């Protein structure tokens, strides 16, 4: 004789109300609230291209820094001339960034800070110049390549992402600059290169972020191509190929793959508190 069947309470989304159900039981009503691609933002090819140009701009900044290192390394240009041009450019950039909001008191304080940094940099440049003497030049160049890649990966391109880290990006660029400075002929050359690195990687992003435009990017690419043409055609073609990959292929692939995006949202997600403006 069969045992009488016992009726179970309807399943509820409450842990203490489902004692009659197995631990791995999934009720059909559990997925009724499932949604896909909630608040999904899709990007047009123009928006994808515009975002890619941010990376191209920073690649051009890194390329310009390496061009300056090459000229110092080959002694095609004097260190004092580079220092003077960099100092003038920094002062002009400061006034452009400050605009009409510039204040004499703040300018004096910033000038004192910059002077102190230059003095300490000049004092420690002999130490930094000999810091990696025991390491081969090939190893130094390889290390520099990888840390500059880290700089580009963690750089702040204006996108809120967990990968962005201004500290890691700046430290990687400065570490690469110290490595390259140790290959130069004198401590003065090392000091000038580190000063250029501070301008390009510490101060430059603020000005570029304010003045950024496609015209600025085109100007940066043109300047880099002009100097790379006199250094190496292979490096020039590599630079152009990298920019073409970043600005053309990557945006095209990104837009094409958007249709495959499938974010699942449901009752298992964490609660999100939204603030409502009082009327």
């Amino acid at each position: 004789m069969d045992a009488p069947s016992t009726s179970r309470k309807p399943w509820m989304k409450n842990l203490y109300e489902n004692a009659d159900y197995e631990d791995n039981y999934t009720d059909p009503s559990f997925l009724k609230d499932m949604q896909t691609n909630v608040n999904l933002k899709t990007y047009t090819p123009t928006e994808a291209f515009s975002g890619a140009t941010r990376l191209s701009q920073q690649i051009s900044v890194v390329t310009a820094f390496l061009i300056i290192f090459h000229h110092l390394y080959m002694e095609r240009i004097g260190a004092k001339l580079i220092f003077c041009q960099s100092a003038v450019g920094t002062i002009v950039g400061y006034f452009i960034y400050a605009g009409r909001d510039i204040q004499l008191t703040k300018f004096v304080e910033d000038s004192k800070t910059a002077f102190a940094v230059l003095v300490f940099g000049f004092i420690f440049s002999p130490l930094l110049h000999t810091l990696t003497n025991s390491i081969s030049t090939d190893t130094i160049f390889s290390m520099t390549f990888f840390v500059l890649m880290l700089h580009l990966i963690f750089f702040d391109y204006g996108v809120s992402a967990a990968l962005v880290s201004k500290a890691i990006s700046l430290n990687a660029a400065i570490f690469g600059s110290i490595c390259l400075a140790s290959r130069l002929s004198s401590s003065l050359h090392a000091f000038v290169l580190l000063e250029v690195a501070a301008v390009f990687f510490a101060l430059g992003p603020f000005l570029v972020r304010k003045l950024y435009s496609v015209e600025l990017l085109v100007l940066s690419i043109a300047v880099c191509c002009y100097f790379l043409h006199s250094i190496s055609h292979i490096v020039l073609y590599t630079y152009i190929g990298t920019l073409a990959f970043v600005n053309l292929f990557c945006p095209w692939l990104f837009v094409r793959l958007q249709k495959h995006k499938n974010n699942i949202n449901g009752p298992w997600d964490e609660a999100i508190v939204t603030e409502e403006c009082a009327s």
Side-chain angles (χ1 to χ4, degrees), residues 52-74:
T53 56
R54 299 277 182 172
L55 175 57
S56 299
Q57 179 66 65
Q58 195 59 26
I59 291 175
S60 298
V61 170
V62 173
T63 303
F65 172 77
L66 294 177
I67 291 174
I68 294 176
F69 164 75
H70 175 78
H71 282 75
L72 288 173
Y73 183 72
M74 303 299 296

Side-chain angles (χ1 to χ4, degrees), residues 236-247:
L236 173 62
Y237 297 148
T238 303
Y239 171 71
I240 296 175
T242 301
L243 294 184
F245 175 80
V246 169
N247 287 301

Side-chain angles (χ1 to χ4, degrees), residues 100-117:
R100 297 181 179 180
D101 299 330
I102 189 171
Q103 300 177 356
L104 180 60
T105 304
K106 190 174 186 305
F107 174 73
V108 172
E109 292 298 325
D110 292 339
S111 299
K112 291 180 180 178
T113 302
F115 180 75
V117 171

Side-chain angles (χ1 to χ4, degrees), residues 184-228:
L184 298 178
S185 59
S186 68
S187 59
L188 176 61
H189 287 71
F191 164 71
V192 171
L193 185 68
L194 294 177
E195 186 262 344
V196 172
V199 172
F200 275 46
F201 302 123
L203 303 178
F206 295 99
L207 184 62
V208 172
R209 190 177 298 114
K210 182 176 183 177
L211 302 180
Y212 179 78
S213 63
V214 177
E215 292 78 7
L216 177 62
L217 174 62
V218 172
L219 178 61
S220 302
I221 294 175
V223 172
C224 290
C225 289
Y226 173 79
F227 285 101
L228 288 177

Side-chain angles (χ1 to χ4, degrees), residues 107-261:
F107 174 73
V108 172
E109 292 298 325
D110 292 339
S111 299
K112 291 180 180 178
T113 302
F115 180 75
V117 171
L118 288 175
V119 170
F120 280 101
F122 184 78
I123 292 175
F124 287 103
S125 58
L127 173 64
L128 298 176
H129 179 245
T130 58
L131 190 62
T132 58
N133 277 350
S134 59
I135 304 176
S136 66
T137 300
D138 292 340
T139 303
I140 288 293
F141 288 163
S142 299
M143 290 172 56
T144 303
F145 172 79
F146 285 111
V147 295
L148 290 181
M149 287 294 295
L150 287 177
H151 165 74
L152 293 174
I153 292 173
F154 290 97
F155 187 77
D156 182 11
Y157 299 101
V159 179
S160 179
L163 190 63
V164 174
S165 176
K166 296 180 180 179
I168 294 178
S169 178
L170 177 59
N171 288 334
I174 297 301
F175 177 74
S177 305
I178 294 175
C179 291
L180 293 178
S182 65
R183 303 297 99 174
L184 298 178
S185 59
S186 68
S187 59
L188 176 61
H189 287 71
F191 164 71
V192 171
L193 185 68
L194 294 177
E195 186 262 344
V196 172
V199 172
F200 275 46
F201 302 123
L203 303 178
F206 295 99
L207 184 62
V208 172
R209 190 177 298 114
K210 182 176 183 177
L211 302 180
Y212 179 78
S213 63
V214 177
E215 292 78 7
L216 177 62
L217 174 62
V218 172
L219 178 61
S220 302
I221 294 175
V223 172
C224 290
C225 289
Y226 173 79
F227 285 101
L228 288 177
H229 182 269
S230 62
I231 296 175
S232 172
H233 287 176
I234 296 178
V235 177
L236 173 62
Y237 297 148
T238 303
Y239 171 71
I240 296 175
T242 301
L243 294 184
F245 175 80
V246 169
N247 287 301
L248 299 178
F249 178 77
C250 288
W252 171 81
L253 183 63
F254 177 78
V255 173
R256 183 179 177 85
L257 294 179
Q258 283 186 113
K259 61 183 179 181
H260 301 293
K261 193 174 182 64

